[in-house]
Amino acid sequence: MCRAKSLCSDSDIAESAILRKEEDISLQWSRQFWVAPRGAMDDSKASEALIPLFKVIDQGGRRITLLGTINSQPALLTAERAAFPSSSEALASFHACLSDIKNLGNNDIYHWYLASIDNQSQDNASPDLKLNLIHPCTEKHVKKYSPQGVRTVTETPEIYKGSIRPYIVKQREAGRLDWVFNILEGRKEQKDIIYRDPGQDGTTDEAFLLAPDLNWDRETLTSMHLLGLVQRRDIWSLRDLRKGHVVWLNHMREKILEATVNKYPSVEKDQVKLYLHYQPTFYHLHIHVVHVMLEPTGTQATGKAFGLENIVSQLETMAGGPEAGMADVTLTYTLGESHDLWNGVFLPLKEAGRG
């Protein structure tokens, strides 16, 4: 029995039970349209008895919506996971709640697992949690995952060339891309690769691959999150993209969409969204590939995510020859207040009256 009662709450237990009955509920619902007993809402026990009489009509990761009837009237029930408690006592006993931990894999300092809550453990039960472990983590990781304010900044071509580009060079030289190179060079996660493209010209300059993002559980399609990683190492962010890359970018887009719908036949091309981050978490060009129904977070928000199609359109209509590119435009985006670029570049510019 789990000792962390405040962590494994009754609401979590109820939702997990609902999720696990989804298949059985759907079978029941296909036979008849359930009608709740008259007066069933008069007491809490009768109310709880109604839950199995509802059909799951939407399952969106942390939330499910069920449709049924109460006293011959249609009813909707939404169940959402409660927030984790923040008390030190509850968090200290967090490990006591975990069971059936499944190792999904690891790459360099990154490790990911699926786990169940102890008092929810049943045969063939779906996992309750997706766990990501970073070990050993860096100060940059700690800053990224710590609560912080967010600021909007405007980066001119001059700021990029004078301050941002040198920062990116230092990040590259810090040697924190081993996990990326492990994938590209065939040492890790090879069984997970969905698609590998040699490029239109057959050289590594245009080669890329498609693989699941480590944050996806690899089962819930509406939460699908894939990564397109380019083979070449001289393009670090969207700032390095130029007019001469348009044909290659369009080729990648088409091949990524084709590979995604081939791998997941229930997903259609117009249900897939492609974007790049700026500033990205790591400086090696990569494309995020997500289901349009993936719950929006800060990483998909305006000021963080730049749509691939919009970038291509901007390059196509840009004045100049093949070498003209995204390094020549002004970009407005958001940064956390703990980010090195806020404290080292944009905050001083603001204080000097130039930001």
Side-chain angles (χ1 to χ4, degrees):
M1 178 65 67
C2 173
R3 296 190 298 275
K5 293 294 185 182
S6 58
L7 184 64
C8 306
S9 65
D10 290 340
S11 61
D12 288 335
I13 295 171
E15 182 189 357
S16 183
I18 295 171
L19 285 169
R20 288 167 184 159
K21 290 181 179 179
E22 177 179 354
E23 181 178 356
D24 181 58
I25 294 169
S26 297
L27 288 173
Q28 293 175 341
W29 200 262
S30 66
R31 297 190 185 102
Q32 60 179 314
F33 191 65
W34 285 87
V35 178
R38 186 175 300 278
M41 295 300 291
D42 292 342
D43 60 79
S44 59
K45 290 184 178 180
S47 299
E48 293 173 0
L50 292 176
I51 292 177
L53 309 183
F54 282 68
K55 173 188 176 183
V56 176
I57 61 172
D58 180 53
Q59 196 276 320
R62 297 177 178 87
R63 180 175 58 250
I64 60 170
T65 302
L66 303 97
L67 172 66
T69 59
I70 299 174
N71 294 336
S72 301
Q73 298 295 318
L76 283 171
L77 173 67
T78 298
E80 187 169 355
R81 288 190 185 279
F84 282 97
S86 57
S87 69
S88 58
E89 180 182 19
L91 295 178
S93 56
F94 174 72
H95 66 281
C97 279
L98 301 180
S99 64
D100 301 325
I101 299 175
K102 177 184 178 182
N103 188 342
L104 293 179
N106 68 283
N107 186 346
D108 194 43
I109 63 173
Y110 300 96
H111 314 259
W112 48 100
Y113 312 85
L114 292 176
S116 297
I117 296 175
D118 181 61
N119 56 4
Q120 295 301 295
S121 183
Q122 298 177 8
D123 292 339
N124 301 318
S126 299
D128 298 296
L129 300 172
K130 170 72 164 52
L131 306 177
N132 296 329
L133 172 67
I134 305 174
H135 176 262
C137 68
T138 65
E139 182 182 358
K140 186 176 180 181
H141 290 119
V142 175
K143 288 180 179 179
K144 176 182 176 181
Y145 290 101
S146 297
Q148 58 183 298
V150 177
R151 302 286 181 144
T152 298
V153 301
T154 297
E155 180 183 301
T156 64
E158 293 72 27
I159 294 175
Y160 170 69
K161 293 167 186 174
S163 301
I164 309 303
R165 181 72 179 185
Y167 168 81
I168 295 175
V169 171
K170 288 182 180 179
Q171 297 304 304
R172 292 275 303 188
E173 292 174 347
R176 293 171 184 160
L177 291 173
D178 288 348
W179 71 272
V180 176
F181 302 145
N182 283 342
I183 298 174
L184 295 175
E185 295 172 5
R187 292 189 293 270
K188 288 285 187 177
E189 301 185 50
Q190 298 307 289
K191 64 181 178 60
D192 295 326
I193 292 177
I194 296 169
Y195 176 75
R196 190 186 290 271
D197 191 287
Q200 296 183 99
D201 60 2
T203 71
T204 56
D205 280 351
E206 294 195 351
F208 68 93
L209 60 81
L210 183 67
D213 183 86
L214 64 86
N215 292 307
W216 183 38
D217 65 10
R218 310 184 192 194
E219 295 180 3
T220 310
L221 287 182
T222 53
S223 300
M224 181 190 74
H225 192 166
L226 314 176
L227 277 186
L229 291 171
V230 303
Q231 191 74 35
R232 61 191 296 173
R233 303 188 183 187
D234 60 336
I235 301 183
W236 303 341
S237 75
L238 65 82
R239 281 291 198 182
D240 294 309
L241 296 174
R242 302 187 298 274
K243 287 179 68 70
H245 294 135
V246 165
V247 173
W248 174 50
L249 292 172
N250 281 327
H251 171 77
M252 278 201 293
R253 177 182 179 276
E254 288 305 314
K255 292 300 183 180
I256 286 173
L257 289 174
E258 288 178 9
T260 301
V261 299
N262 285 339
K263 177 68 175 179
Y264 308 108
S266 64
V267 177
E268 299 182 33
K269 287 185 179 181
D270 58 2
Q271 293 178 305
V272 182
K273 181 166 60 175
L274 288 74
Y275 60 85
L276 287 74
H277 282 151
Y278 194 76
Q279 298 287 328
T281 301
F282 60 96
Y283 292 99
H284 180 100
L285 189 72
H286 56 285
I287 300 171
H288 292 267
V289 183
V290 303
H291 196 287
V292 293
M293 294 300 292
L294 176 64
E295 289 193 50
T297 62
T299 62
Q300 295 187 61
T302 300
K304 181 66 175 179
F306 291 75
L308 177 61
E309 293 84 355
N310 292 337
I311 294 172
V312 170
S313 178
Q314 188 169 2
L315 290 170
E316 288 176 330
T317 57
M318 186 179 293
E323 295 303 310
M326 297 300 293
D328 305 319
V329 303
T330 294
L331 295 177
T332 297
Y333 56 93
T334 57
L335 279 177
E337 291 177 346
S338 296
H339 199 289
D340 293 339
L341 290 178
W342 169 251
N343 291 293
V345 178
F346 292 102
L347 179 57
L349 287 175
K350 178 182 178 180
E351 293 175 339
R354 297 163 53 197

